[in-house]
Amino acid sequence: MTTSGNSSDSSSGKGTGKVEGTGKATTLHIAQNPEADELLGRSPLAALVGMLLDQQVPMEWAFTGPYTLAERMGSDDLDAGRIAAYDPDAFTELFTTKPALHRYPGSMAKRVQQLCQYLVAEYGGDASAVWRDATTGDDLLERLKALPGFGAQKAQIFLALLGKQLGVRPPGWREAAGPYGEAGSHRSVADITGPESLVEVRAYKQEAKAAAKAAKAAKKPGTPRKK
């Protein structure tokens, strides 16, 4: 992946992503599928689409989606301009064809197309331009939050992925990523580097979900007793 960002954050060390001119690519292990992970490591748009799809489905399913979509489009990569101009019904069919790319293939097809249309309008279809010239972590966070389908949490997680694994480290990136930027954490896809860390991240997510459910139940008023 092309990740020519500012890597001057002294707490981070050198970036490991594919920086323009080096010819080196990052190997990711999020999809747990060699071909899908290879695409994520070299394609900025594939990484963005995987992050967009990462909700209400297992992480591996979400991040395999870009590879499956590229295959169904007869290509070895995703192209924002092509997706943006695709017939909406035909594009939805690419998502709904079994096995579906997501639990909610219709709505996610629409979101992916909206993301690509935004990238074409704002960045000339170049996904890496979202972070290439970001001057600070806060600047990058705001750019990510402006992307269709990216709320604050998703933007912070993707920022953490960029910084931790793809070498995009503008000053203050860890702080902008919030808890997801913490070194040594196992909170999100940004921390998945193999099967073991995937298990740890999944365990963390389950614990957090259980804690949130317990907190919600504790706030719920008890049922009044019948007289």
Side-chain angles (χ1 to χ4, degrees), residues 57-92:
V57 295
M59 292 172 281
E60 307 96 304
W61 185 0
F63 282 90
T64 298
Y67 175 75
T68 305
L69 178 59
E71 273 197 320
R72 292 179 181 181
M73 296 183 75
S75 176
D76 64 353
D77 198 356
L78 298 179
D79 181 274
R82 184 183 176 196
I83 292 174
Y86 220 88
D87 175 76
D89 291 336
F91 192 66
T92 296

Side-chain angles (χ1 to χ4, degrees), residues 8-81:
S8 61
D9 189 336
S10 60
S11 68
S12 308
K14 294 182 179 179
T16 57
K18 179 182 177 184
V19 180
E20 287 183 350
T22 67
K24 296 180 180 179
T26 296
T27 298
L28 297 180
H29 300 279
I30 301 173
Q32 302 294 298
N33 173 300
E35 291 83 5
D37 280 325
E38 188 274 334
L39 176 61
L40 294 172
R42 65 177 166 83
S43 171
L45 180 56
L48 276 177
V49 170
M51 189 72 247
L52 179 62
L53 296 176
D54 186 26
Q55 57 189 67
Q56 297 181 297
V57 295
M59 292 172 281
E60 307 96 304
W61 185 0
F63 282 90
T64 298
Y67 175 75
T68 305
L69 178 59
E71 273 197 320
R72 292 179 181 181
M73 296 183 75
S75 176
D76 64 353
D77 198 356
L78 298 179
D79 181 274

Side-chain angles (χ1 to χ4, degrees), residues 53 57 61-62 64-70 72 94-105 108:
L53 296 176
V57 295
W61 185 0
T64 298
Y67 175 75
T68 305
L69 178 59
R72 292 179 181 181
L94 294 176
F95 271 69
T96 57
T97 298
K98 294 183 179 180
L101 266 63
H102 196 275
R103 181 171 293 154
Y104 304 104
M108 296 312 291

Side-chain angles (χ1 to χ4, degrees), residues 2-7 20 44 123 125-136 139-140 143 162 168-170:
T2 300
T3 55
S4 54
N6 184 329
S7 59
E20 287 183 350
Y123 296 100
D126 181 2
S128 67
V130 175
W131 52 82
R132 182 184 302 127
D133 300 320
T135 56
T136 66
D139 177 28
L140 177 51
R143 293 183 182 205
L162 287 171
V168 180
R169 297 166 179 168

Side-chain angles (χ1 to χ4, degrees), residues 151-208:
Q153 183 184 49
K154 191 179 290 288
Q156 283 190 313
I157 292 173
F158 192 76
L159 198 163
L161 176 63
L162 287 171
K164 289 182 174 182
Q165 298 200 49
L166 296 172
V168 180
R169 297 166 179 168
W173 71 270
R174 285 193 187 276
E175 292 78 6
Y180 302 106
E182 294 176 2
S185 64
H186 290 91
R187 297 173 182 271
S188 71
V189 297
D191 304 307
I192 297 174
T193 56
E196 292 184 2
S197 53
L198 172 63
V199 172
E200 291 181 277
V201 169
R202 181 160 285 131
Y204 172 84
K205 286 178 172 287
Q206 291 174 341
E207 290 174 6

